[in-house]
Amino acid sequence: MGKKGDLSDFERGMVVGARWAGLSISKTADLLRFSRTTISRVYREWSKKEKISSKRLLCGRKCLVDVRGQRRMGRLVRDERKATVTQITTCYNQGMQNTISERTTCRTLKQMGYSSRRPHRVPLLSAKNRKQRLQFEQAQQNWTIKHWKKRSDKSAATA
């Protein structure tokens, strides 16, 4: 069996209850579909320390960007959609006691559901093309559907 992650308090209670009711380690493991090692470890912790809950959630470094900071970062992104991560980080760090890195900004934005995108590159219209487009539009301004159908039949025949 691979690592599944921490057991919830309910699952730990089921293990302790099953073992306390007299089921063997193997039968408890088959019934609850956990490994035998997990069953024996959870029951041993409960019997020696009366520990049922896992404290692993309290481990590790605290996040530098809390919920309030995420809201602030979200406002920065919404206000300036084309801002780079460097610009967002600089704006976020202004007036903050704890500064964050660009990597932290990237990670936080990804957790918030934002992803990086590149703008679609479109060739610029030259002055000559703009003038030709305007002339074409003015020439066909009063055309009816019949005229447009006739034009599309011609273009389909040449293609």
Side-chain angles (χ1 to χ4, degrees):
M1 264 183 149
K3 289 189 176 185
K4 181 184 164 195
D6 284 342
L7 297 181
S8 67
D9 291 346
F10 180 74
E11 290 169 334
R12 287 173 170 271
M14 287 183 4
V15 168
V16 170
R19 290 288 292 133
W20 193 67
L23 269 83
S24 68
I25 293 174
S26 298
K27 286 185 181 178
T28 306
D30 290 339
L31 178 69
L32 300 177
R33 298 187 182 203
F34 299 131
S35 69
R36 293 178 66 222
T37 309
T38 302
I39 300 296
S40 60
R41 180 181 47 81
V42 169
Y43 188 69
R44 184 177 56 243
E45 287 173 355
W46 178 79
S47 60
K48 288 186 180 177
K49 304 174 192 172
E50 294 187 11
K51 175 186 165 188
I52 291 182
S53 65
S54 173
K55 301 283 185 188
R56 281 189 62 181
L57 296 175
L58 302 175
C59 295
R61 182 176 177 168
K62 303 293 183 253
C63 294
L64 288 173
V65 182
D66 56 353
V67 176
R68 186 175 174 194
Q70 285 183 356
R71 284 197 308 264
R72 183 172 179 229
M73 196 174 291
R75 274 194 306 274
L76 289 172
V77 171
R78 281 191 301 273
D79 289 347
E80 186 59 45
R81 288 191 49 209
K82 293 184 179 182
T84 62
V85 173
T86 308
Q87 292 168 340
I88 293 170
T89 306
T90 306
C91 290
Y92 183 85
N93 286 336
Q94 288 176 351
M96 294 297 284
Q97 216 171 10
N98 296 334
T99 60
I100 60 172
S101 66
E102 291 178 19
R103 180 73 191 113
T104 303
T105 304
C106 282
R107 196 178 320 110
T108 305
L109 290 173
K110 194 166 189 172
Q111 285 175 349
M112 293 169 61
Y114 291 103
S115 59
S116 60
R117 293 181 306 276
R118 288 180 177 234
H120 185 67
R121 300 290 293 210
V122 180
L124 297 174
L125 288 176
S126 64
K128 180 183 168 186
N129 277 349
R130 274 193 236 135
K131 192 173 183 181
Q132 286 177 345
R133 280 184 174 203
L134 184 63
Q135 287 173 352
F136 176 81
E137 187 179 312
Q138 288 172 345
Q140 278 76 16
Q141 190 173 9
N142 297 323
W143 276 21
T144 62
I145 295 174
K146 191 175 182 182
H147 288 103
W148 283 110
K149 284 185 180 179
K150 189 174 179 183
R151 176 160 171 86
S152 63
D153 290 342
K154 285 181 185 178
S155 61
T158 58

